[in-house]
Amino acid sequence: MAEQVKLIVDGAALEALRAPPNGMIFNYMIRTADKIIEVAKTKINRRFVGPTGPGGAGGGSLADSMVKRPVLTGAGLSITIVAMKPYSFWVHQGNGPPGAKIYPTKPGGVLAFAEPGGGMIFRRWVHTSKPNPYLRTAMEEVIASGDV
């Protein structure tokens, strides 16, 4: 006859492992998020500062804008990594079909971009950019490496 083993989980002990700020699971998740951000920063063109003007981000780089946020929901604890620049989605996902052009919304207007040295670049149009899934790639690399 086969032996049976019954596992009883101590909910309070498990919660203590998970609970912020000192729980081992929480701390592991924070360290993993920090490592993902560190690797993601290496995947971004740090010269790009981003658009200026209304709704733009001007000043500071996309890499420097990444933050982690603990989120506690009814489903449990998660860590969300966010790039705080409004153009971060375009960099990650691309901003249009390859070879297409982006024009200013105002007829006769120009697109303005801040240079790292403080100057400005003005263009009547620019090509769309291909996706650079820096966060997804970094997460996959960190998880595959097991180096957390």
Side-chain angles (χ1 to χ4, degrees), residues 100 111 115 129:
L111 300 168
E115 289 187 286
S129 58

Side-chain angles (χ1 to χ4, degrees), residues 54-127:
S61 71
L62 176 59
D64 295 332
S65 79
M66 286 189 276
V67 297
K68 63 185 175 302
R69 295 184 174 152
V71 178
L72 185 58
T73 66
L77 177 69
S78 66
I79 306 291
T80 299
I81 299 172
V82 181
M84 299 299 292
K85 297 296 183 178
Y87 56 86
S88 62
F89 181 81
W90 297 335
V91 174
H92 199 272
Q93 300 301 113
N95 60 356
K101 294 180 182 178
I102 299 172
Y103 294 92
T105 55
K106 189 168 141 183
V110 294
L111 300 168
F113 303 92
E115 289 187 286
M120 296 293 292
I121 298 173
F122 300 96
R123 297 286 185 265
R124 296 222 178 268
W125 59 268
V126 294
H127 284 287

